[in-house]
Amino acid sequence: LDSLLEAGSASPRYDHPIVWRDEELSAILSRVILQERVGLMDNARPPRPVFAFEEINRLAHALRTAFQEASSREWIVFVLLGQEAGGPATTSGAIFVESGKLHLVIANHQLKLADDSEELAHVRANPLYSVHGSGGVLGFDAPRFVVGSKANWSGGHRASASEMILDHTAFLTYLTQTGS
């Protein structure tokens, strides 16, 4: 849990605490995709999932617990350290609910950083510290539930993170109605 202090703001900012089920968080996280940025002359690449199956399993329970403990002044931040082809890979960001919508911020995605690097130390200290940016724009494989997306500069570094705003209530209602 982390907090973003805004000068002069005494009112609650986030809709926390919230009770989630692991299955709800897994359903959402499994559909988050990243559309990679390409150059003007490059062919577009297909979007790829942000989280691997193993990462979703690790994250869902931890996020559920964090959302229950979070206050209206706190958001949930995370750093996932895993292995990608060629070595260690770091994914970091934040997640919170504001005005009834779920916000997911990815600052670093599958970024290869040495275990002893200064950049990894910065990311661990501040998961919104974006070393080179997220590498693309966040999306959702059911795009009608995406309310918006934007650059997020909360990490205070030279590169922005990617933020997606999701109508999670409508999405979870849809899943329940369709039996998915």
Side-chain angles (χ1 to χ4, degrees):
L1 300 176
D2 200 358
S3 60
L4 178 65
L5 301 176
E6 291 183 356
S9 176
S11 62
R13 178 175 175 145
Y14 306 117
D15 304 345
H16 305 157
I18 294 179
V19 176
W20 293 88
R21 293 190 340 260
D22 286 352
E23 300 80 33
E24 293 171 329
L25 289 166
S26 294
I28 291 169
L29 294 174
S30 67
R31 289 167 173 83
V32 178
I33 55 176
L34 184 72
Q35 181 63 58
E36 293 182 65
R37 289 186 191 100
V38 293
L40 186 60
M41 302 302 286
D42 295 331
N43 291 326
R45 297 183 186 122
R48 60 185 178 142
V50 170
F51 301 107
F53 180 75
E54 300 81 25
E55 293 172 325
I56 293 168
N57 287 337
R58 284 192 295 166
L59 267 177
H61 180 72
L63 289 176
R64 181 178 56 83
T65 302
F67 269 115
Q68 290 173 341
E69 296 173 358
S71 74
S72 62
R73 308 283 300 159
E74 296 175 309
W75 54 5
I76 293 96
V77 294
F78 60 89
V79 176
L80 292 169
L81 303 173
Q83 291 293 320
E84 183 72 12
T90 303
T91 297
S92 69
I95 189 168
F96 57 93
V97 177
E98 183 178 35
S99 301
K101 305 294 183 251
L102 181 73
H103 293 244
L104 178 64
V105 181
I106 298 297
N108 300 288
H109 183 255
Q110 298 298 321
L111 183 63
K112 291 171 181 37
L113 296 172
D115 288 337
D116 59 350
S117 75
E118 187 176 315
E119 295 288 13
L120 182 57
H122 287 303
V123 171
R124 284 183 172 185
N126 176 7
L128 291 175
Y129 178 91
S130 186
V131 178
H132 301 295
S134 62
V137 177
L138 285 180
F140 199 67
D141 83 349
R144 70 177 178 260
F145 298 108
V146 175
V147 176
S149 61
K150 61 184 178 178
N152 182 305
W153 292 92
S154 300
H157 191 53
R158 65 182 174 263
S160 71
S162 181
E163 181 174 344
M164 176 187 63
I165 306 163
L166 184 70
D167 186 346
H168 66 285
T169 305
F171 171 69
L172 294 173
T173 300
Y174 167 78
L175 282 184
T176 302
Q177 292 173 348
T178 60
S180 299

